[in-house]
Amino acid sequence: MILREILLKNFRNYENQKIIFSDSVNIITGNNGSGKTNIIEAISILSGSKSFRNSKDKDIIKWGNDSYFCKAVIEEGSNSVFESGCISNGQSCEKKRKIDGMLLSASDFFGKILTVIFSPEDILIIDSSPENRRKYFDGVISKFDDLYLKSLMQYKKILKYRNYILKSGKDENKIKKELSVWNDTFSEKAVYITNKRSEFIKSFNNEFSEIYDLFSFNHNNSYFIYKSDNLALTKNEFLLKIEKSIRRDLNSFSTSIGPHKDDFILNSFGDRIFSEFASQGQKRIASVSMKFAEKEITEKLRGQKAVILVDDVFSELDKVRKEKFVEMTAFTNQSIFTIADTRNIEFFDLEKKIINIDKGLVL
Amino acid sequence: MVSKYLEALIAEFSKIPGMGQKSAARAAFYILKQKDSDVKRFASALIDIKEKIRECSVCGGISDADICSICSDHSRDSSVICVVEDEKDILTIEKTRIFRGVYHVLKGVISPLDGIGPDDLRINELYDKCKTGKVREIILATNPTLEGDATSLYLTHKLKEMNIRVMRISRGLPVGGELDFADTATIARSFDERIEVF
């Protein structure tokens, strides 16, 4: 998959800018705050519907305007045009997404442009809350499994319904009756999601362990453990469990069991919890390896090449790993790097396109 | 605005679902150009549907009398009941002329965020019918949405206890459509509900 060009209108600090990419290495340079990452952000919105920085749409709109628009031309066999726009009335945003002029829902638009984004914040996936990890792994699975994404969205909707009923303040018998409507479908989706995650993490680990050893020049025996209280349950077993937990749910006004409580924990050297002993440097290497594992697995299952987007991560790696990083991306995929320190360009000893940015303009 | 009467009519028309300001204005001008007798007939048709149509006391659908023409038709099999979300669904199914049983309108679907629970739907009325022992089969025809499916599933559990055959209309590919255009969830559903041909 090749990203031919991108058009940004009223997007962050860009007023109206078209950027054309080469099909090998692209290096976006410019000073801090010139708008390098904004380009990566636009591509992330076009490939995943949400910003990889987790920004709100209204914050992406260029100051003084009420809408933004971005467009990408993708080559995969033939050319396709992806568009995403957002109009804000100050309070809420209305968002539209199109592929070749056809209006699509968020879930039908999601992941059609296959990208892998390396960002400094990746370290937080390993280091912060379970919610971040669930979000990350759910996103990866959704890139190649449409039904997983749809089931997950339905699960979240039912979870919202359940919690809404639990918080409704109605009398207990009425709450129990209203919950019973959803328990069956909730269990079905919960079991489906748990099984998919558990199956996925096995193949993810195969890729991850190998890449992490390669990148750390060490044998670490590292892998993610999928931590769930509902592993290998049948739908009926889960249903029984959720019916039994009703007292706890009523007391806490929320749903206490289900895949929304799961976690993915990185272990090293067999049984040590990585985030408890690892240094920042080790975490950086682990998070980069995690993204490479994502690349391998999504490319394999989609049968397509991903567009590699690297936001600033490069500057945080040492010399040997920079060389390794270039070796693993630049020769096989189309890649787009943002680089503030131009000295780093010397690591790209191959044909490359340099895009120089200043204050939202391509020079 | 040139006329407050015209403005009032446009405002009324534009409340109709699917009608915007422009189509409302067009409709209002159309009325203005009609003969007096035609407009009177139109106006009385409007008043009639509000005054004369009522809810069928048996199925909950629309009716000109206390009991609707479907429920009072003796040639139809009242032991087979098709459960639908709203009155409109009856018209849709009737167009096919394939169903010869009777209907039961739930008047909505379970939807927590809208504050609609099982007690807010015409579910007890359905149980009452089933308790008479004259019902052989229930066909659930709620929409294949998360809420529609949950409502059907809820009914299924209750009806099973009454020893009644419970069926649900099947989900899958639209007739005359192409696999290409169907979404993954629909295709997956149609595989789940595949039927033996031979």
Coordinates of all heavy atoms in Angstrom, one line a residue, chain B residues 145-187:
Chain B
T145 N -31.3 -5.2 14.9 CA -30.4 -4.3 15.6 C -30.1 -4.9 17.0 O -30.7 -5.9 17.4 CB -31.1 -3.0 15.9 OG1 -32.3 -3.2 16.6 CG2 -31.4 -2.2 14.6
L146 N -29.1 -4.3 17.7 CA -28.7 -4.8 19.0 C -29.9 -4.8 19.9 O -30.2 -5.8 20.6 CB -27.6 -3.9 19.6 CG -26.8 -4.4 20.8 CD1 -26.1 -5.7 20.4 CD2 -25.9 -3.3 21.2
E147 N -30.7 -3.8 19.8 CA -31.9 -3.6 20.7 C -33.0 -4.6 20.3 O -33.7 -5.2 21.1 CB -32.4 -2.2 20.7 CG -31.5 -1.1 21.3 CD -30.3 -0.7 20.4 OE1 -30.3 -1.2 19.2 OE2 -29.4 0.0 20.8
G148 N -33.2 -4.7 19.0 CA -34.3 -5.6 18.5 C -34.0 -7.0 18.8 O -34.8 -7.8 19.3
D149 N -32.7 -7.4 18.7 CA -32.3 -8.8 19.0 C -32.4 -9.1 20.5 O -32.9 -10.2 20.9 CB -30.8 -9.0 18.6 CG -30.7 -9.2 17.1 OD1 -31.8 -9.5 16.4 OD2 -29.6 -9.2 16.5
A150 N -32.0 -8.1 21.3 CA -32.1 -8.3 22.8 C -33.6 -8.5 23.2 O -33.9 -9.3 24.0 CB -31.5 -7.1 23.5
T151 N -34.5 -7.7 22.6 CA -35.9 -7.8 22.9 C -36.4 -9.2 22.5 O -37.1 -9.8 23.3 CB -36.7 -6.7 22.1 OG1 -36.1 -5.4 22.4 CG2 -38.1 -6.6 22.6
S152 N -36.0 -9.6 21.3 CA -36.5 -11.0 20.9 C -36.0 -12.1 21.8 O -36.7 -13.0 22.2 CB -35.9 -11.3 19.5 OG -36.7 -10.7 18.5
L153 N -34.7 -11.9 22.2 CA -34.1 -12.9 23.1 C -34.8 -13.0 24.4 O -35.1 -14.0 25.0 CB -32.7 -12.6 23.3 CG -31.7 -13.7 23.5 CD1 -31.8 -14.7 22.3 CD2 -30.3 -13.2 23.6
Y154 N -35.2 -11.8 24.9 CA -35.9 -11.7 26.2 C -37.2 -12.4 26.1 O -37.6 -13.2 27.0 CB -36.1 -10.2 26.5 CG -36.9 -9.9 27.8 CD1 -36.3 -10.1 29.1 CD2 -38.2 -9.5 27.7 CE1 -37.0 -9.9 30.2 CE2 -38.9 -9.3 28.9 CZ -38.3 -9.5 30.1 OH -39.1 -9.2 31.2
L155 N -37.9 -12.1 25.0 CA -39.3 -12.8 24.8 C -39.1 -14.3 24.7 O -39.9 -15.0 25.3 CB -39.9 -12.2 23.5 CG -40.4 -10.8 23.6 CD1 -40.9 -10.3 22.2 CD2 -41.5 -10.6 24.6
T156 N -38.1 -14.7 24.0 CA -37.8 -16.1 23.8 C -37.8 -16.9 25.1 O -38.4 -17.9 25.3 CB -36.5 -16.4 23.0 OG1 -36.5 -15.5 21.9 CG2 -36.4 -17.8 22.6
H157 N -37.0 -16.3 26.1 CA -36.8 -17.0 27.4 C -38.2 -17.2 28.1 O -38.5 -18.2 28.6 CB -35.9 -16.2 28.3 CG -34.4 -16.3 27.8 ND1 -33.9 -17.5 27.4 CD2 -33.5 -15.4 27.6 CE1 -32.6 -17.3 27.0 NE2 -32.4 -16.0 27.1
K158 N -39.0 -16.1 28.0 CA -40.3 -16.1 28.7 C -41.2 -17.1 28.0 O -42.0 -17.8 28.7 CB -40.9 -14.7 28.7 CG -40.0 -13.7 29.5 CD -40.3 -13.9 31.0 CE -39.3 -13.0 31.8 NZ -39.4 -13.1 33.2
L159 N -41.2 -17.0 26.7 CA -42.2 -17.8 26.0 C -41.9 -19.3 26.0 O -42.8 -20.1 26.0 CB -42.3 -17.4 24.5 CG -42.8 -15.9 24.3 CD1 -42.6 -15.5 22.9 CD2 -44.3 -15.9 24.6
K160 N -40.6 -19.6 26.1 CA -40.2 -21.1 26.2 C -40.9 -21.7 27.4 O -41.3 -22.9 27.3 CB -38.7 -21.2 26.3 CG -38.0 -21.5 24.9 CD -36.6 -21.7 25.2 CE -35.8 -21.8 23.9 NZ -34.3 -21.7 24.2
E161 N -40.9 -21.0 28.5 CA -41.5 -21.5 29.7 C -43.0 -21.9 29.5 O -43.5 -22.7 30.2 CB -41.4 -20.5 30.8 CG -40.0 -20.2 31.3 CD -39.8 -18.9 32.1 OE1 -40.9 -18.4 32.6 OE2 -38.7 -18.5 32.3
M162 N -43.6 -21.3 28.5 CA -45.0 -21.5 28.3 C -45.2 -22.6 27.3 O -46.4 -22.9 26.8 CB -45.7 -20.3 27.8 CG -45.6 -19.1 28.7 SD -46.6 -17.8 28.1 CE -46.1 -16.4 29.1
N163 N -44.1 -23.3 26.8 CA -44.2 -24.4 25.9 C -44.8 -24.0 24.5 O -45.6 -24.7 24.0 CB -45.0 -25.5 26.5 CG -44.1 -26.7 26.7 OD1 -43.2 -26.9 25.9 ND2 -44.4 -27.5 27.7
I164 N -44.4 -22.9 24.0 CA -44.9 -22.4 22.7 C -43.7 -22.4 21.8 O -42.6 -22.1 22.1 CB -45.4 -21.0 22.8 CG1 -46.7 -21.0 23.6 CG2 -45.7 -20.4 21.4 CD1 -47.3 -19.7 24.0
R165 N -44.0 -22.8 20.5 CA -42.9 -22.8 19.5 C -42.5 -21.4 19.2 O -43.4 -20.6 18.8 CB -43.4 -23.5 18.3 CG -42.4 -23.7 17.2 CD -43.0 -24.4 16.0 NE -42.0 -24.9 15.1 CZ -42.2 -25.0 13.8 NH1 -43.3 -24.8 13.3 NH2 -41.2 -25.5 13.1
V166 N -41.2 -21.0 19.4 CA -40.8 -19.7 19.1 C -39.9 -19.7 17.9 O -38.9 -20.4 17.9 CB -40.1 -19.1 20.4 CG1 -39.7 -17.6 20.1 CG2 -41.0 -19.2 21.6
M167 N -40.2 -18.9 16.9 CA -39.4 -18.8 15.7 C -38.9 -17.3 15.6 O -39.5 -16.4 16.1 CB -40.2 -19.1 14.5 CG -40.9 -20.5 14.5 SD -39.8 -21.9 14.4 CE -39.6 -21.9 12.6
R168 N -37.8 -17.1 14.8 CA -37.4 -15.8 14.5 C -37.1 -15.7 13.0 O -36.6 -16.7 12.5 CB -36.1 -15.4 15.3 CG -35.6 -14.1 15.0 CD -34.3 -13.7 15.8 NE -33.2 -14.6 15.6 CZ -32.6 -14.8 14.5 NH1 -32.9 -14.2 13.4 NH2 -31.5 -15.7 14.4
I169 N -37.5 -14.6 12.4 CA -37.2 -14.5 11.0 C -35.7 -14.5 10.8 O -35.0 -14.0 11.6 CB -37.9 -13.2 10.3 CG1 -37.5 -11.9 11.0 CG2 -39.4 -13.3 10.3 CD1 -37.8 -10.7 10.3
S170 N -35.3 -15.1 9.6 CA -33.8 -15.2 9.5 C -33.2 -14.0 8.9 O -33.8 -13.1 8.4 CB -33.6 -16.4 8.6 OG -33.9 -16.1 7.3
R171 N -31.9 -13.9 9.1 CA -31.1 -12.8 8.7 C -30.1 -13.2 7.7 O -29.5 -14.3 7.7 CB -30.3 -12.2 9.9 CG -31.1 -11.4 10.8 CD -31.7 -12.3 11.8 NE -32.9 -11.7 12.4 CZ -33.0 -11.1 13.5 NH1 -31.9 -10.8 14.2 NH2 -34.1 -10.6 13.9
G172 N -29.8 -12.3 6.7 CA -28.8 -12.7 5.7 C -28.8 -11.8 4.6 O -29.1 -10.6 4.7
L173 N -28.5 -12.3 3.4 CA -28.3 -11.5 2.2 C -29.6 -11.0 1.6 O -30.6 -11.8 1.6 CB -27.5 -12.3 1.2 CG -26.1 -12.7 1.7 CD1 -25.5 -13.7 0.7 CD2 -25.2 -11.4 1.7
P174 N -29.7 -9.8 1.1 CA -30.9 -9.3 0.5 C -31.1 -10.0 -0.9 O -30.1 -10.2 -1.6 CB -30.7 -7.8 0.3 CG -29.2 -7.6 0.4 CD -28.6 -8.7 1.2
V175 N -32.3 -10.4 -1.2 CA -32.6 -11.0 -2.5 C -32.3 -10.1 -3.6 O -32.7 -8.9 -3.5 CB -34.0 -11.5 -2.5 CG1 -34.4 -12.1 -3.8 CG2 -34.2 -12.5 -1.4
G176 N -31.6 -10.5 -4.6 CA -31.3 -9.7 -5.8 C -30.0 -8.8 -5.5 O -29.6 -8.0 -6.3
G177 N -29.4 -9.0 -4.3 CA -28.2 -8.2 -4.0 C -27.0 -9.0 -4.4 O -27.1 -10.1 -4.9
E178 N -25.8 -8.4 -4.2 CA -24.6 -9.1 -4.5 C -23.8 -9.2 -3.2 O -23.7 -8.4 -2.4 CB -23.8 -8.3 -5.5 CG -24.4 -8.5 -6.9 CD -23.7 -7.6 -7.9 OE1 -22.4 -7.6 -7.9 OE2 -24.4 -6.9 -8.7
L179 N -23.1 -10.4 -3.2 CA -22.2 -10.6 -2.0 C -21.2 -9.5 -1.8 O -21.0 -9.1 -0.6 CB -21.4 -11.9 -2.3 CG -21.9 -13.2 -1.7 CD1 -21.0 -14.3 -2.1 CD2 -22.0 -13.1 -0.2
D180 N -20.7 -9.0 -2.9 CA -19.8 -7.8 -2.9 C -20.2 -6.7 -2.0 O -19.3 -6.0 -1.4 CB -19.7 -7.3 -4.3 CG -18.4 -7.7 -5.0 OD1 -17.8 -8.6 -4.4 OD2 -18.1 -7.1 -6.0
F181 N -21.5 -6.4 -2.0 CA -21.9 -5.2 -1.4 C -22.4 -5.4 0.0 O -22.7 -4.4 0.7 CB -23.1 -4.5 -2.2 CG -22.6 -3.9 -3.5 CD1 -22.9 -4.6 -4.7 CD2 -21.8 -2.8 -3.5 CE1 -22.4 -4.0 -5.9 CE2 -21.4 -2.2 -4.7 CZ -21.7 -2.9 -5.9
A182 N -22.4 -6.6 0.5 CA -22.9 -6.9 1.8 C -21.8 -6.7 2.8 O -20.6 -6.9 2.5 CB -23.4 -8.4 1.9
D183 N -22.1 -6.2 4.0 CA -21.1 -6.0 5.0 C -20.8 -7.3 5.7 O -21.5 -8.3 5.6 CB -21.5 -4.9 6.0 CG -22.7 -5.4 6.9 OD1 -23.7 -5.7 6.3 OD2 -22.6 -5.4 8.1
T184 N -19.6 -7.3 6.4 CA -19.1 -8.6 7.0 C -20.1 -9.1 8.0 O -20.2 -10.4 8.0 CB -17.8 -8.3 7.7 OG1 -17.9 -7.1 8.4 CG2 -16.6 -8.2 6.7
A185 N -20.7 -8.3 8.8 CA -21.6 -8.8 9.8 C -22.8 -9.5 9.2 O -23.2 -10.6 9.7 CB -22.1 -7.7 10.7
T186 N -23.3 -9.0 8.1 CA -24.4 -9.6 7.4 C -24.0 -11.0 6.8 O -24.7 -12.0 6.9 CB -25.0 -8.7 6.2 OG1 -25.3 -7.5 6.8 CG2 -26.2 -9.3 5.6
I187 N -22.8 -11.0 6.1 CA -22.4 -12.2 5.6 C -22.1 -13.3 6.6 O -22.5 -14.5 6.5 CB -21.1 -12.0 4.7 CG1 -21.4 -11.1 3.5 CG2 -20.5 -13.3 4.2 CD1 -20.2 -10.7 2.7

